Amino acid sequence: MRQAVQFYLGDEHCTLSGLNPTLTLLDWLRDRGKTGTKEGCNEGDCGACTVLVVRLDQDRLVWRAVNACIQFVSMLDGAQVYTIEDLGTPDAPHPVQAAMVEQHGSQCGFCTPGFVMSMAAYRKTPGATVDDAQIDDALAGNLCRCTGYAPIVRAMKQSMSAGPDRFDAQVATITERLTTLNDGETVQVSGAEGTLTIPATVDVLADTLVQHPEATIVAGATDVGLWVTKGMKQLRHVVSIGRVPELRKIERTDEGLTISAAVTYQEAKPFIADLLPDAAEMIRRLGSTQVRNSATVCGNIANGSPIGDGPPMFIAAGATLHLRLGNERRSMPLEAYFIAYGKQDRRPGEFVEAVTLPVPEKDVQFRAYKISKRFDQDISAVLGAFFMRRNADGIITSVRLAYGGMAATPKRAANAEAALLGRRWDEATLDAARAAIAQDFTPLTDMRATDWYRRTVAANLLTRFFEETTGGPQARLARTGGLAHV
Ligand SMILES: Cc1cc2nc3c(=O)[nH]c(=O)nc-3n(C[C@H](O)[C@H](O)[C@H](O)COP(=O)(O)OP(=O)(O)OC[C@H]3O[C@@H](n4cnc5c(N)ncnc54)[C@H](O)[C@@H]3O)c2cc1C
Ligand code: FES
Ligand code: FES
């Protein structure tokens, strides 16, 4: 058992004992005089606080941009973190810094350190290219009020063809350091402001939670971080599961894809894309690169939010949730986990171990649609996810329609499903299902949408599913004798 958290800040070895388990990395850095990392929103939205975190994953270095404002410093155990101060100097700038100067990528400069860190991380991303969409995706989590994004994107592209940076020469050193840091010890740190446990194995995690069922599980902290920075909550005992080796697994079999509890959306995305391409496109729009680099798939489920994007998609896909309490394990259809607003079927001391997405049969049609005010990095007003199978005669033999944003939990549209099952997938059936949706949900009006908007969108997404799975508006108009254009 180790009684301190250990990591590298730049080239400095840091050992912290007695620390507040929810002290954010941003506060810690700024209190140490590392003020290049800025605080903009303090809730993961603006990217001004972006830092570069390097971890060892199966003997390979993985470089990720993360938001320091919602990352607890305790979560850095075993990692090396770089801030803007570590990147380059005026005499020897990092290629990204040089390109930002040459392309006039900065005005007031407040967002600039965050952009530069995201850009430095992008250069280290396997498969990164100068493709506009890919770059937009990498930088969607950084907001700038004054420069406009074009010069920043130009700087990103320019820096991609620049030579190596200082990190390339350091790979062997960093690998050696991180190998030493990751000693396989459980970490237990207690101080005046609370206790931190970082279990080294899943069995230690299970025991810890049985003994301390009141403890707060933290995976990526992209939800919990906001309880602290915005809700001013003090968590007395944090159990950080991000580095539990058994929970870092992704397993693909002929039957399904099992994503364990510490796997992030960024890591799971290619595997989900292979199974459900439409779900992967939604994941691309879940938060930002920085958020997806920390946010876990299972945290998105465990959090139980009615507007989380993963749960409706995974319910529609027929997912099974796996839970563990001590040595006892149980599994349930994912939808059964969500009981009421803020209430899930999870007993004290129990934790989500994994979620399994079944491999869809070849003739399955699956679509997911996210409606949000801003296209990138915005919470959904409504998310509709639809799964359907039809037999050779075109009769619907299996259907799951799941929505987020329409009720107090992610929920299936039972009446609409009943209107579809056993029917031919045609305009009359669509109309019946659209009408039935009105009985399935009584959505709220809030800052994201009115109840009317939500009800209308929920029905219209079903129409979109119909159009896409039956040949589109052109084919529909041709069938109904309408004009062959829309
Ligand atoms: C800027 C920003 C944008 C976002 N955009 C989106 C979005 O577009 N769509 C969306 O769906 N979400 C979004 N989120 C929310 C968040 O990123 C997701 O819900 C994320 O997947 C949560 O995972 P996490 O690992 O960070 O969970 P954490 O914050 O670590 O935990 C979340 C909750 O789950 C519990 N928990 C975590 N793991 C377990 C476990 N294994 N067993 C039991 N309980 C557990 C925690 O105790 C806590 O209650 C956004 C968040 C931010 C900050
Ligand atoms: S301060 Fe805005 S994302 Fe951290
Ligand atoms: S340069 Fe001013 S916010 Fe980006």
Side-chain angles (χ1 to χ4, degrees):
M1 177 96 65
R2 179 152 46 83
Q3 280 160 352
V5 167
Q6 54 182 25
F7 59 92
Y8 276 85
L9 171 63
D11 292 325
E12 182 192 351
H13 182 263
C14 301
T15 305
L16 306 182
S17 53
L19 87 168
N20 176 352
T22 56
L23 174 66
T24 66
L25 174 57
L26 179 61
D27 284 348
W28 183 76
L29 286 171
R30 293 185 62 83
D31 282 350
R32 287 173 59 95
K34 296 264 184 185
T35 49
T37 308
K38 304 297 181 207
E39 178 180 324
C41 62
N42 216 16
E43 61 180 30
D45 274 318
C46 72
C49 65
T50 305
V51 295
L52 183 51
V53 174
V54 194
R55 289 194 183 275
L56 202 55
D57 192 5
Q58 292 165 358
D59 302 331
R60 193 173 58 95
L61 294 184
V62 180
W63 306 71
R64 303 272 193 220
V66 306
N67 291 318
C69 66
I70 51 170
Q71 181 97 171
F72 301 139
V73 72
S74 52
M75 292 163 66
L76 286 179
D77 193 60
Q80 175 141 0
V81 60
Y82 289 106
T83 66
I84 191 73
E85 286 90 351
D86 303 307
L87 227 58
T89 61
D91 294 335
H94 182 279
V96 163
Q97 293 171 313
M100 282 289 267
V101 172
E102 282 168 38
Q103 295 295 337
H104 306 285
S106 178
Q107 282 188 33
C108 81
F110 199 82
C111 69
T112 309
F115 265 104
V116 167
M117 296 315 284
S118 285
M119 293 158 84
Y122 183 68
R123 273 173 50 98
K124 290 270 169 264
T125 307
T129 68
V130 290
D131 173 67
D132 281 315
Q134 233 187 341
I135 291 176
D136 285 354
D137 220 23
L139 302 184
N142 292 82
L143 305 182
C144 176
R145 296 164 301 176
C146 22
T147 306
Y149 297 97
I152 298 173
V153 170
R154 277 200 295 274
M156 181 73 254
K157 288 184 180 174
Q158 179 181 318
S159 80
M160 292 299 281
S161 51
D165 53 48
R166 62 164 290 206
F167 301 129
D168 294 309
Q170 277 199 319
V171 168
T173 312
I174 301 170
T175 307
E176 201 182 310
R177 282 175 182 167
L178 298 189
T179 307
T180 312
L181 283 187
N182 287 278
D183 54 9
E185 291 278 342
T186 288
V187 176
Q188 179 86 20
V189 178
S190 291
E193 287 147 310
T195 301
L196 163 76
T197 309
I198 309 178
T201 67
V202 72
D203 288 341
V204 173
L205 168 65
D207 284 351
T208 305
L209 291 174
V210 166
Q211 283 165 32
H212 304 280
E214 75 296 343
T216 304
I217 301 172
V218 172
T222 59
D223 283 313
V224 176
L226 272 67
W227 304 354
V228 174
T229 62
K230 297 289 151 170
M232 303 298 163
K233 218 170 167 179
Q234 177 61 50
L235 306 173
R236 296 300 307 169
H237 188 171
V238 164
V239 177
S240 186
I241 64 168
R243 312 312 306 157
V244 175
E246 298 94 327
L247 299 185
R248 303 263 321 123
K249 283 188 301 191
I250 306 180
E251 277 176 318
R252 170 74 197 257
T253 65
D254 289 346
E255 286 75 44
L257 174 69
T258 297
I259 302 165
S260 298
V263 174
T264 63
Y265 265 114
Q266 204 67 22
E267 292 162 335
K269 190 166 151 252
F271 294 87
I272 296 175
D274 194 34
L275 220 59
L276 303 165
D278 241 47
E281 171 55 16
M282 291 305 98
I283 294 170
R284 195 186 65 72
R285 290 178 54 201
L286 189 152
S288 58
T289 296
Q290 291 96 317
V291 168
R292 293 188 298 275
N293 279 343
S294 296
T296 60
V297 175
C298 290
N300 196 213
I301 294 170
N303 191 44
S305 165
I307 46 173
D309 289 337
M313 289 194 294
F314 303 145
I315 289 173
T320 302
L321 192 67
H322 309 287
L323 294 123
R324 176 167 171 183
L325 173 61
N327 288 326
E328 180 199 330
R329 288 187 166 89
R330 63 182 179 130
S331 298
M332 64 176 78
L334 177 56
E335 66 230 61
Y337 180 69
F338 304 104
I339 299 171
Y341 183 74
K343 187 164 190 264
Q344 295 87 40
D345 185 1
R346 188 161 70 83
R347 295 167 290 173
E350 194 167 35
F351 63 99
V352 173
E353 206 165 22
V355 63
T356 300
L357 306 179
V359 174
E361 290 85 356
K362 288 221 159 17
D363 52 354
V364 155
Q365 289 172 308
F366 178 90
R367 295 283 193 286
Y369 308 110
K370 170 168 174 157
I371 305 296
S372 54
K373 285 190 173 171
R374 185 175 184 260
F375 191 79
D376 283 313
Q377 195 185 214
D378 197 4
I379 302 290
S380 298
V382 176
L383 188 139
F386 310 129
F387 163 104
M388 183 180 278
R389 274 188 89 186
R390 285 178 280 165
N391 66 16
D393 298 326
I395 304 297
I396 299 166
T397 55
S398 178
V399 63
R400 281 190 294 272
L401 312 177
Y403 284 93
M406 292 295 291
T409 62
K411 197 175 158 222
R412 281 173 73 171
N415 289 301
E417 288 180 6
L420 294 174
L421 201 61
R423 306 270 157 71
R424 191 172 298 284
W425 191 210
D426 57 19
E427 284 83 359
T429 306
L430 170 66
D431 288 345
R434 283 180 57 103
I437 286 180
Q439 290 142 38
D440 280 312
F441 301 111
T442 329
L444 288 176
T445 293
D446 64 11
M447 62 184 174
R448 293 198 175 84
T450 62
D451 60 338
W452 174 86
Y453 180 86
R454 287 192 155 103
R455 274 187 276 109
T456 308
V457 160
N460 287 352
L461 291 182
L462 197 57
T463 301
R464 183 168 165 191
F465 180 55
F466 175 76
E467 301 291 7
E468 287 186 9
T469 52
T470 56
Q474 296 283 351
R476 184 180 191 193
L477 286 169
R479 266 199 320 278
T480 55
L483 293 171
H485 67 270
V486 285

